Amino acid sequence: MTYTVSSDRKATMIAALAGGWVADAASLGLHWLYDSQCIHDVGGASPEFLPPKADYFKGGFGYFAHEGKQAGDISHYGAATGVLTDSLLAHNGTLDIRDYQRRFRAFFGPGGRWQGYIDNPTRGTLNNLSSIEQKAIEQALSATAVKLTDKQKRMLVQKVLPYTLHLSGEQLAGPVRKAISLTYQEPEIQEAGVHLAETIDHHLLPESGADDMQLPAISKLPPLVASYYGRDNLLTVVEAAVRVTNHNDEAVAWAKCAARLLDHLFRGNPMSVALDAGTAEAPASDSLNKARTGSVLDAPGAGDAYGRTCYLYEAMPVIFHILSHARNYTEAIRANIQCGGDSCGRAWIIGPALAALYGVGGEHGIPLSWLARLKDAPAIIANVESLVENK
C-alpha cells in the first residue's frame, strides 16, 4: 500500500528534516561532554549553538572532537545525512545502494570533502570498501586473458580506480578505455582495463558496513523515511541503507524502531502512537517503556539511568524519554544537550520528531532564529524541499 502525499504531510516532512539539521548544529558545541553539571556551568539554560571549544571540557569528562568547527556547523552525523540526501536526490527519492556507497566513500575517504571527525562505523565502512575493492582487483588481474607485466597491472589499477569511484555499469567502459589509451594503444590492454573496472563494479557488496551498533546507524534515517513515506517496503529499504555503514543485526533492529517512529509522525499521528509503533520494532522494549514513564522531563537523569554514549541500547531510551516528556522543540533540544554525551547523534531523531509535531516557528516549533544560525541553511533547506516536494 502506498499513500498520496498531501501538501500538509509534505510540510510536516520538510519541517522534520529541517529539525534534524538544526538540532545537530545546535548540539555541536558541547557534543561528547558527558558531565551534565559541567554542561550547565558552561551553557546554562541555553546551551545551544555554542562554538566548539576544548576549554569546555576541562571541567568534566568528555572527548573534544570538533576542533576547527564554528557555531552553526554540523557534525559528522549531519555530513553523512547529507551524503544520503544527495544520493536520494540524484535518483528521484529512491535508494541506490551503489551510488550511496560511492558517494559515501568519495565524501569521507582520502581526498574527500569532509574535514572533521571520522567515527568508528565510517572508518570501518571505508576499510571494508577498500578491502572489497582490493579483492576484486586481485580476481580481475588473475583472470585476465592478456599477459600483463607488473608495471602494466599497476598502471591499469591507477587509471581505473578514479572511474570506479564515481561511475557504474555501462558508464564505465568508454571513459576507462579512453584513459588507458593515453598510455597504452593496444586494444587488448585497454580491454583488460575495462574488465578490471567492471569486475570492481560487480563485486561491490551492498553490506559494506562495520559490525557496529552505534548511533550512525539511525542518524541518517529522516530523509530516507521521508522518501519512502507510506510505502510497504520502508523497513526493507531501511535495513539495506543501514547495512551500508552498520552491518549489524541489532543496529538494524534499532533502525527499524526509529524509522517506524518517524514514519508515524510524518503521517500526522500523535507522539504516543508513534512511540508505540517504534517500540514494537525495538530489540529491547522494556527500557523504552520504562523511559516513557513519569511526568517530569529529566534528560540528565535518563542519561544516568540508561547511558549517554553512542550505543543504541543507551541512546534510544534517552531519546524516548525526551520525546515522551518534552513540550516543544526548544525544550527537547536543550534537554538533549543537557543530558550530555552523544547529543548530536540523538539529535537526528529528537529534532525531526519534535519538528514533525510542531513545525517551524511559533511557541512550540523550531525557532526561526535557530534556523538562521544553521550554516548553509539556504542550500540545506533547498535540498530538503526538493526531496519532499518531488514525491
Side-chain angles (χ1 to χ4, degrees), residues 59-98:
F61 177 75
Y63 178 72
F64 180 58
H66 304 300
E67 181 72 41
K69 297 296 182 184
Q70 306 295 321
D73 282 341
I74 57 169
S75 73
H76 54 291
Y77 288 108
T81 303
V83 172
L84 180 53
T85 299
D86 287 344
S87 182
L88 291 168
L89 284 168
H91 293 273
N92 299 314
T94 299
L95 177 67
D96 184 300
I97 292 295
R98 290 191 176 185

Side-chain angles (χ1 to χ4, degrees), residues 16-26 74 78-79 81-82 85 348 374 380-381 384:
L17 299 190
W21 290 100
V22 173
D24 182 24
I74 57 169
T81 303
T85 299
W348 276 99
L374 171 65
I380 289 171
I381 301 306
V384 166

Side-chain angles (χ1 to χ4, degrees), residues 105 129-144 153-154 156-158 160-161 164 192 195-201 203:
R105 190 180 186 193
L129 288 169
S130 294
S131 177
I132 293 167
E133 180 182 78
Q134 186 58 41
K135 290 178 182 177
I137 290 171
E138 293 170 359
Q139 177 177 332
L141 293 177
S142 66
T144 183
K153 291 177 181 179
R154 287 195 301 271
L156 286 183
V157 171
Q158 292 167 3
V160 161
L161 289 185
T164 57
H195 172 68
L196 172 61
E198 291 176 342
T199 301
I200 293 171
D201 185 49
H203 283 76

Side-chain angles (χ1 to χ4, degrees), residues 1-2 94-95 224 227-240 256 260:
M1 181 178 180
T2 59
T94 299
L95 177 67
L224 187 68
S227 294
Y228 282 81
Y229 171 87
R231 297 193 200 178
D232 292 340
N233 64 338
L234 171 63
L235 296 188
T236 300
V237 173
V238 164
E239 176 167 357
K256 290 179 179 180
R260 190 62 82 194

Side-chain angles (χ1 to χ4, degrees), residues 132-188:
I132 293 167
E133 180 182 78
Q134 186 58 41
K135 290 178 182 177
I137 290 171
E138 293 170 359
Q139 177 177 332
L141 293 177
S142 66
T144 183
V146 181
K147 188 173 182 179
L148 300 170
T149 66
D150 288 343
K151 178 181 178 181
Q152 288 171 332
K153 291 177 181 179
R154 287 195 301 271
M155 293 187 70
L156 286 183
V157 171
Q158 292 167 3
K159 287 180 176 292
V160 161
L161 289 185
Y163 295 96
T164 57
L165 185 61
H166 298 286
L167 303 177
S168 181
E170 296 179 355
Q171 300 172 322
L172 280 167
V176 166
R177 189 178 288 110
K178 187 171 184 178
I180 295 171
S181 71
L182 298 175
T183 304
Y184 297 109
Q185 285 72 49
E186 298 90 336
E188 63 272 18

Side-chain angles (χ1 to χ4, degrees), residues 195-248:
H195 172 68
L196 172 61
E198 291 176 342
T199 301
I200 293 171
D201 185 49
H202 292 158
H203 283 76
L204 186 55
L205 301 175
E207 298 89 2
S208 54
D211 184 6
D212 187 284
M213 53 181 180
Q214 297 184 78
L215 275 162
I218 69 170
S219 59
K220 301 179 285 289
L221 291 179
L224 187 68
V225 176
S227 294
Y228 282 81
Y229 171 87
R231 297 193 200 178
D232 292 340
N233 64 338
L234 171 63
L235 296 188
T236 300
V237 173
V238 164
E239 176 167 357
V242 169
R243 291 194 185 276
V244 169
T245 58
N246 296 72
H247 189 27
N248 177 281

Side-chain angles (χ1 to χ4, degrees), residues 22-89:
V22 173
D24 182 24
S27 306
L28 186 70
L30 295 170
H31 182 223
W32 278 328
L33 181 54
Y34 285 84
D35 189 323
S36 292
Q37 183 58 52
C38 183
I39 290 171
H40 182 269
D41 292 342
V42 172
S46 303
E48 66 275 1
F49 288 103
L50 293 179
K53 293 182 180 180
D55 288 348
Y56 301 155
F57 292 72
K58 291 180 179 179
F61 177 75
Y63 178 72
F64 180 58
H66 304 300
E67 181 72 41
K69 297 296 182 184
Q70 306 295 321
D73 282 341
I74 57 169
S75 73
H76 54 291
Y77 288 108
T81 303
V83 172
L84 180 53
T85 299
D86 287 344
S87 182
L88 291 168
L89 284 168

